[in-house]
Amino acid sequence: MRRSVAQVRAAVEANLPGVRADLERLIRIPGIAFAGFDADVVRRSADAVAELLRGVLPEVRIVQAGGHHAVIGRRPAPPGAPTVLLYAHHDVQPPGDRSAWLTEPFEPTEREGRLYGRGAADDKAGIMAHVAALRAFGDDLPVGVVVFVEGEEEFGSESLEALLRQYRDDLTADVIVIADSSNWDIGVPALTTSLRGIVNAFVDVQTLDHAVHSGGYGGPVPDALTTLCRLLATLHDDAGDVAVEGLVRGSAAPLDYPVQRFRAEAGLLDGVSLIGTGRIVDRLWMKPAISVLGIDAPPTHEAPNALVPTARAKISVRIAPGDDPKSAFQAVQAHLERHAPWGARVQVTREHDGAPCVIDSTGPAFDAARAAFAAAWDGTEPVEIGIGGSIPFIATFQELFPDAAILVTGVEDPDSRAHGPNESLHLGEFARACLAEALLLQEVADRWGGRG
Ligand code: BES
Ligand code: MN
């Protein structure tokens, strides 16, 4: 039976309290796929997701292809109806600086209409948006569904390609919905049509065989930390643009992102300038960026007066759509080796990478999404945006299923602070995202009529 917008809305709203409770249950499981964190917790997180999916889908399996556990749930399509794949990830980033969190990272807490906790937005709310949409229809779904929730997205989805190949037949779909991006603003939904790729790497510098007295040797002898800092400083030119040759640079569609708004959303301090040149959206979505994420060095409170022999930095390179992670890594590696200060030994090793992508926003799936989002946001049409972040799944999926339409949606907003302390979900926008996804399933079913 076809449901009206009002019926779908009522069903989604009736289920929201349960959805919220289950979201909190997921946030309490700190499943981090990074090396050095407990993989059993990621497994428990997959179990919890599987249990939720068993409540709405007849077939649910926990799967693995050499990496962390993912969950696949399925309900076959009614005759003639399309199949929609719903993607999210259940792993989260490490909590980072615990002293900067106002409440415990893995204890969901509501303040002023937002739910705080690691993963509250990225991407446990994405999982729950899928569950909410499915609960709204119960056994009477207008489309076939495959839910795919992976467990290592935040660590580069290393076994994803193997998983997709192994379960290819189970994952085949006409439309895929990736609920792992951001909306444009509170009250303004978005569809994401481009994402940057990523190359994370370690830079090791060695100048000495062993640590020596900083007074006895300092002056003539370069310590590894100073050397590493000089080396890292070569990655940008004086204007702050990336100085590495051989990376792809493009430009974004003309969407205005006012500098003042961007500065405020970033939390940039007064007087600190933005770096690089060109429009914000170009710099953010279509040009490369390089950042230093961490340095292994003696902690300052216990650093002896000694010259450090070795130092390591972790750098993150965001690459533009059209670039390739392998050649980008080579370009950065060659740059760093060529710029080794003072003959220091420099070694660059890849941690993980993910490809960028561009998504064609024409066709019935996009029309369905625009209609569903506008209805859920009281008439406000979705904006097409790029994202400076990465979702490696998309390029892999595009390669394997070139005919599927891809919709990148999301539950984040500019103040979600994903990956940082005090990550949070705007509960009002989350309710809209749940409704939008339920309406989307109905719209896709309607628009596929007659297309087989
Ligand atoms: N949800 C993010 C992608 C994203 C970033 C959406 C910014 C909206 C705004 C995703 O979970 C993510 O963070 N991905 C990682 C991928 C990487 C580890 C391969 C990222 O971009 O750091
Ligand atoms: Mn995410």
Side-chain angles (χ1 to χ4, degrees), residues 279-313:
R279 295 183 309 146
I280 296 287
V281 289
D282 292 343
R283 275 188 261 175
L284 213 48
W285 302 339
M286 290 291 165
K287 287 179 162 199
I290 304 186
S291 318
V292 180
L293 302 183
I295 289 185
D296 292 337
T300 53
H301 67 276
E302 62 180 57
N305 287 351
L307 300 182
V308 173
T310 63
R312 159 175 272 210

Side-chain angles (χ1 to χ4, degrees), residues 114-447:
R114 303 190 69 101
L115 184 66
Y116 287 81
R118 171 59 83 234
D122 184 9
D123 185 24
K124 285 170 171 171
I127 302 172
M128 291 315 301
H130 297 326
V131 173
L134 297 176
R135 283 184 185 165
F137 292 97
D139 288 344
D140 190 22
L141 266 175
V143 291
V145 221
V146 181
V147 180
F148 178 65
V149 182
E150 71 161 309
E152 54 183 26
E153 196 274 347
E154 300 290 7
F155 199 58
S157 302
E158 275 165 348
S159 69
L160 181 74
E161 192 161 336
L163 260 178
L164 293 192
R165 287 188 195 283
Q166 193 169 332
Y167 294 96
R168 192 191 175 114
D169 293 343
D170 294 323
L171 297 170
T172 304
D174 302 289
V175 178
I176 88 158
V177 180
I178 298 180
D180 190 24
S181 188
S182 180
N183 285 313
W184 183 232
D185 209 344
I186 304 297
V188 187
L191 290 165
T192 300
T193 54
S194 75
L195 291 98
R196 287 194 292 197
I198 187 171
V199 181
N200 274 8
F202 298 108
V203 185
D204 285 285
V205 165
Q206 183 169 16
T207 55
L208 287 164
D209 175 67
H210 51 270
V212 290
H213 192 288
S214 59
Y217 292 90
V221 172
D223 68 81
L225 258 179
T226 301
T227 309
L228 175 64
C229 291
R230 278 183 86 94
L231 177 57
L232 296 175
T234 69
L235 291 168
H236 297 87
D237 64 19
D238 289 343
D241 281 310
V242 169
V244 175
E245 276 169 40
L247 299 177
V248 170
R249 290 162 172 87
S251 56
L255 182 72
D256 186 38
Y257 198 164
V259 172
Q260 278 318 316
R261 178 186 157 193
F262 178 68
R263 290 185 63 103
E265 287 175 357
L268 200 68
L269 299 182
D270 282 346
V272 179
S273 49
L274 295 170
I275 60 172
T277 51
R279 295 183 309 146
I280 296 287
V281 289
D282 292 343
R283 275 188 261 175
L284 213 48
W285 302 339
M286 290 291 165
K287 287 179 162 199
I290 304 186
S291 318
V292 180
L293 302 183
I295 289 185
D296 292 337
T300 53
H301 67 276
E302 62 180 57
N305 287 351
L307 300 182
V308 173
T310 63
R312 159 175 272 210
K314 176 173 172 173
I315 62 169
S316 186
V317 186
R318 297 288 173 173
I319 59 175
D323 210 341
D324 164 65
K326 302 288 172 283
S327 68
F329 173 75
Q330 281 164 11
V332 173
Q333 183 181 42
H335 173 102
L336 288 166
E337 286 170 359
R338 208 169 42 238
H339 287 81
W342 304 317
R345 299 213 182 135
V346 170
Q347 204 176 14
V348 186
T349 42
R350 183 187 353 242
E351 184 195 35
H352 59 70
D353 63 22
C357 68
V358 177
I359 295 161
D360 172 18
S361 62
T362 58
F366 266 87
D367 294 342
R370 280 186 274 264
F373 277 57
W377 266 270
D378 301 324
T380 305
E381 293 270 334
V383 184
E384 279 187 26
I385 61 170
I387 281 291
S390 316
I391 306 175
F393 170 76
I394 301 177
T396 309
F397 200 90
Q398 280 178 328
E399 195 187 308
L400 242 63
F401 300 99
D403 295 330
I406 300 188
L407 301 169
V408 182
T409 67
V411 295
E412 291 179 35
D413 67 85
D415 211 22
S416 288
R417 307 204 184 168
H419 298 198
N422 306 307
E423 172 178 351
S424 69
L425 172 72
H426 187 291
L427 290 164
E429 293 296 283
F430 175 60
R432 290 186 195 273
C434 293
L435 172 59
E437 192 165 310
L439 293 173
L440 172 63
L441 298 180
Q442 180 77 63
E443 288 283 346
V444 166
D446 291 350
R447 279 157 214 264

